[in-house]
Amino acid sequence: MRSYDLRGKDPVFLILVYGLLLIFLLAISVPFIYVLSTSFASEEEILSRGFFLIPDDWTWNAYGYLMENHNFKQSMSNSIYMTVVGTTINMILTSLMAYGLSKSWLKGRRTLNFMILFTMLFSGGMIPTYLIVKNLDLLNSYWSIFLTGAIAPFHLIVLRSFFQNIPRELEESAHIDGCSELRLFWQIVIPLSMPAIATFTLFYAVHNWNTYFNAILYLNDSNMWPLQVFLRQMLSQSDQAIEASVSGYEFTQAVRMAAVIITALPLLIVYPFLQKYFNKGMLLGSVKG
């Protein structure tokens, strides 16, 4: 990707650019710093000071309570399970289908590609999807979430284009050596496609980790709810309602902010390690249509 050199530019232009970047940085960082600082503050300091970015009295009580709360730990384990299993299913189905559609000899390839593109423009809707899930007896099951979002059409199309860019000579030489199509896919195509695989793995993982609406729609058992649903329930209810529902303990402002930080922390940790694959994976996958 070509970098843009700002040297020799008009000073007024540079001031404008850096000024806008600074405004965007403050707009993003200040709310996050406030949430982080509040999670380490005592309830007395929160009530007395209101808004602050650095607490005077640092404490881990909010995080300690969450780590001992059964409902929070259960929702955390549910989110981890849904993210790991769901992302695995997403990538297996998406990569297999994208690889098949990348083959020009596949019969009905154009029809299948049109059907996939059609789903990007029009969907069946919430009610028909719910009725299908209900008739398949998948309600109150994680499969209702795994299967309804198994393949994202956009990810499939980009990954298909990525597979089409792999030199045919490699595949032909592998076939001459007696390599089967499935072995060719797992041992040659997948290693060569790691930038795209890593990119869409993170996309799917973020989607699964942030699952909220589908969990509310398909999961009736609160013990199966993911972390996002627990967080929403905790943030939306009043202190009195929460206090009466959670063993007499009030989810204070610090506890709520600590829950927000813990919810965002896994993605903040993983993202920097996979960020280098983003540009390469997306650009290479968009060369061919």
Side-chain angles (χ1 to χ4, degrees):
M1 177 177 265
R2 186 173 63 89
S3 60
Y4 188 77
D5 191 2
L6 293 177
R7 291 177 296 182
K9 299 296 180 181
D10 186 1
V12 177
F13 173 75
L14 293 178
I15 294 175
L16 180 62
V17 169
Y18 285 112
L20 290 175
L21 291 176
L22 180 60
I23 293 175
F24 291 148
L25 177 62
L26 293 176
I28 296 172
S29 60
V30 170
F32 180 79
I33 295 174
Y34 169 72
V35 172
L36 181 63
S37 301
T38 305
S39 67
F40 285 104
S42 62
E43 188 64 16
E44 293 77 11
E45 183 176 5
I46 295 175
L47 295 175
S48 61
R49 296 184 61 187
F51 179 83
F52 56 89
L53 296 180
I54 300 178
D56 294 332
D57 183 18
W58 293 78
T59 177
W60 290 84
N61 292 340
Y63 292 93
Y65 171 75
L66 286 176
M67 293 298 101
E68 295 178 357
N69 183 271
H70 171 74
N71 295 329
F72 181 82
K73 291 190 294 184
Q74 181 66 44
S75 61
M76 173 71 78
S77 62
N78 292 341
S79 288
I80 294 174
Y81 172 78
M82 293 172 63
T83 301
V84 173
V85 177
T87 303
T88 302
I89 295 174
N90 293 145
M91 289 308 302
I92 290 177
L93 296 181
T94 302
S95 58
L96 286 174
M97 190 171 184
Y99 180 70
L101 292 175
S102 67
K103 302 301 180 181
S104 58
W105 47 259
L106 181 67
K107 294 183 179 180
R109 176 171 173 261
R110 289 190 176 183
T111 302
L112 291 174
N113 284 327
F114 172 78
M115 294 173 63
I116 294 170
L117 182 61
F118 186 85
T119 61
M120 294 181 62
L121 305 176
F122 306 96
S123 65
M126 180 183 68
I127 296 178
T129 304
Y130 178 84
L131 293 177
I132 292 175
V133 171
K134 181 180 179 181
N135 292 332
L136 291 176
D137 198 23
L138 293 177
L139 289 179
N140 214 33
S141 169
Y142 287 129
W143 286 105
S144 62
I145 298 177
F146 296 154
L147 296 181
T148 53
I151 298 178
F154 175 77
H155 299 351
L156 173 65
I157 291 175
V158 176
L159 194 58
R160 179 206 64 189
S161 300
F162 192 99
F163 289 153
Q164 288 176 339
N165 291 328
I166 297 178
R168 293 185 178 180
E169 291 76 9
L170 290 175
E171 300 182 8
E172 293 174 356
S173 61
H175 286 309
I176 293 175
D177 293 335
C179 184
S180 64
E181 199 69 43
L182 187 60
R183 185 179 178 184
L184 169 67
F185 173 72
W186 288 112
Q187 296 187 359
I188 297 179
V189 174
I190 290 297
L192 292 175
S193 307
M194 285 310 298
I197 296 296
T199 298
F200 293 117
T201 296
L202 183 57
F203 286 168
Y204 275 126
V206 171
H207 173 76
N208 290 320
W209 181 260
N210 291 328
T211 297
Y212 169 75
F213 182 75
N214 285 346
I216 291 292
L217 190 62
Y218 301 128
L219 302 179
N220 300 321
D221 187 0
S222 59
N223 292 324
M224 301 179 65
W225 284 350
L227 190 58
Q228 302 297 336
V229 178
F230 175 85
L231 181 63
R232 175 60 181 171
Q233 295 293 103
M234 183 180 63
L235 294 177
S236 62
Q237 296 181 28
S238 64
D239 291 341
Q240 292 78 12
I242 295 176
E243 184 176 3
S245 62
V246 190
S247 303
Y249 187 92
E250 179 183 349
F251 274 144
T252 63
Q253 187 74 0
V255 174
R256 298 179 185 183
M257 296 304 180
V260 173
I261 293 297
I262 294 177
T263 302
L265 190 61
L267 298 181
L268 293 177
I269 294 176
V270 173
Y271 182 83
F273 295 99
L274 297 180
Q275 185 181 12
K276 62 181 180 180
Y277 294 108
F278 279 10
N279 291 338
K280 185 177 180 181
M282 295 299 292
L283 290 177
L284 289 180
S286 59
V287 173
K288 289 187 177 181

